[in-house]
Each structure stands twice: as structure tokens, then as C-alpha cells.
Amino acid sequence: MKIRDANILIIPGYKGADEDHWQSRWEAKMPNATRIHQAEFNKPVCEDWKKEIETAILASDKPAILVAHSLGVAAAVHVLSENDDVKMKVVGAFFVSPPDVSNPKIRPKHLMTFGPYPTGPMPCPTFVIGSVNDSFSDQKRMQETAADWGAFFVDAGESGHINSETGHGPWPEGLMVFAEFMKRL
């Protein structure tokens, strides 16, 4: 599938995506990319986040591709597992650095309200990218979660949480993986 033939829905995580974040850069480069805004990025409420994602997907006039990071992954997975109308519109999910929302040590604690993750295969082709030194989840847990979803897992090496704080502004490697993902759709 070509990028122009889909609506790319950018779903930031906890605290949003600043202007240097790879999601912001991708949004600026792709004319058909739209960021899903949340009323509260710093004090996330799962039900509110899910509603915003669901609304954006259902409003899409083309097949939707979800590009979610961190807590945005958690909200998107719930939407994909709960709404049949959404399942029909989403043709791919590109998930980066899903946090371990079932871990009682996660901080801040309210992030646990996004867990546990639904199990079972995602209704569309899904890529999950995770690093070995992510501060919000260990890679083994991300691999297990990806396997539960029937997703293809991509090892990002020692990349931290794959955000602007870990030096992933432009993130050309991620863009190459995304291009490969799009070819497979």
C-alpha cells in the first residue's frame, strides 16, 4: 500500500510528542498524516483516549494506518479489540515502545489504568518495535505482547524509549521500517 492511499493516524503517548519527536517529524512529512490530540496528555484517562482514537478512525475517509507510541499503543490496542466498526477501517498498526501497563512498578501509577492489554491477534497486520533498554517495559515483555497480538516484532537494540529524549527525532531507521511495513499491506 502506498502512504497516499491511507490516512496515517499519529497517536502520541504519555505527555504527547514534542516538535523534535519522530512522530511530529513524520506528521510534517506526510500530507495525509493526522495527529490524534488528547484533552490531557499529562494525566491520561484511558476511556477519554480511546474515544478520541475511535472518533478519528471512524471519521477516516480512507483505510487507516495507526502509528502509535508508548501509551498511545495501549489505548489503540483497546480500541482495536473492542469496536468492530473500527476493525473494518484499520488496515495496519505500527506500534513503537509499548509500555508494560500491567507492571505495578510503572510510574506514574495512573498509567496502569490502561492495562492489562487485550490478548489475541490484532484485526490487522501489526508491527511492534521495542528496544532492550526501554524504561517503561523490558524487551522480553514487549516480545511476548507482540506474540499475543500476532504482530511482527522488530528489535531496535539499545534505543531507550524511542522518543526525542533518547535522540529519536528524525529516526531514519524507523522510517525505513515503516516503509517496509507499508509495502506488506
Side-chain angles (χ1 to χ4, degrees):
M1 173 175 270
K2 296 193 184 309
I3 289 174
R4 71 173 176 258
D5 297 330
N7 285 328
I8 310 298
L9 301 178
I10 306 286
I11 307 170
Y14 176 59
K15 295 187 180 179
D18 62 33
E19 61 193 31
D20 290 329
H21 194 285
W22 61 268
Q23 283 184 310
S24 298
R25 292 172 184 244
W26 290 13
E27 179 186 7
K29 287 182 179 186
M30 298 178 205
N32 55 333
T34 303
R35 179 185 306 243
I36 297 177
H37 293 278
Q38 300 294 346
E40 189 60 70
F41 275 113
N42 293 332
K43 292 183 182 175
V45 175
C46 187
E47 290 303 315
D48 294 345
W49 279 38
K50 287 174 12 183
K51 183 178 179 185
E52 291 299 323
I53 294 167
E54 184 176 282
T55 299
I57 292 168
L58 294 175
S60 180
D61 60 348
K62 295 179 183 176
I65 308 289
L66 308 183
V67 178
H69 178 255
S70 190
L71 200 60
V73 173
V77 167
H78 284 292
V79 170
L80 284 172
S81 69
E82 296 170 6
N83 186 314
D84 289 335
D85 292 333
V86 163
K87 291 176 188 178
M88 294 173 36
K89 293 196 93 163
V90 177
V91 297
F94 189 83
F95 294 154
V96 180
S97 299
D100 183 357
V101 291
S102 295
N103 183 346
K105 295 179 183 176
I106 196 169
R107 296 291 181 266
K109 284 280 197 193
H110 60 269
L111 301 184
M112 285 185 64
T113 63
F114 283 71
Y117 285 123
T119 57
M122 290 291 99
C124 59
T126 304
F127 267 33
V128 174
I129 299 177
S131 73
V132 296
N133 60 339
D134 191 315
S135 58
F136 288 94
S137 184
D138 66 57
Q139 191 181 61
K140 182 177 186 234
R141 178 70 182 122
M142 282 188 259
Q143 289 172 325
E144 291 168 353
T145 300
D148 285 346
W149 296 337
F152 182 81
F153 184 81
V154 179
D155 181 347
E158 292 188 10
S159 299
H161 196 52
I162 311 178
N163 58 15
S164 55
E165 292 172 1
T166 59
H168 295 86
W171 196 34
E173 303 88 352
L175 202 50
M176 289 173 23
V177 174
F178 183 68
E180 181 62 32
F181 173 68
M182 292 299 294
K183 284 183 200 174
R184 295 180 183 209
L185 297 180

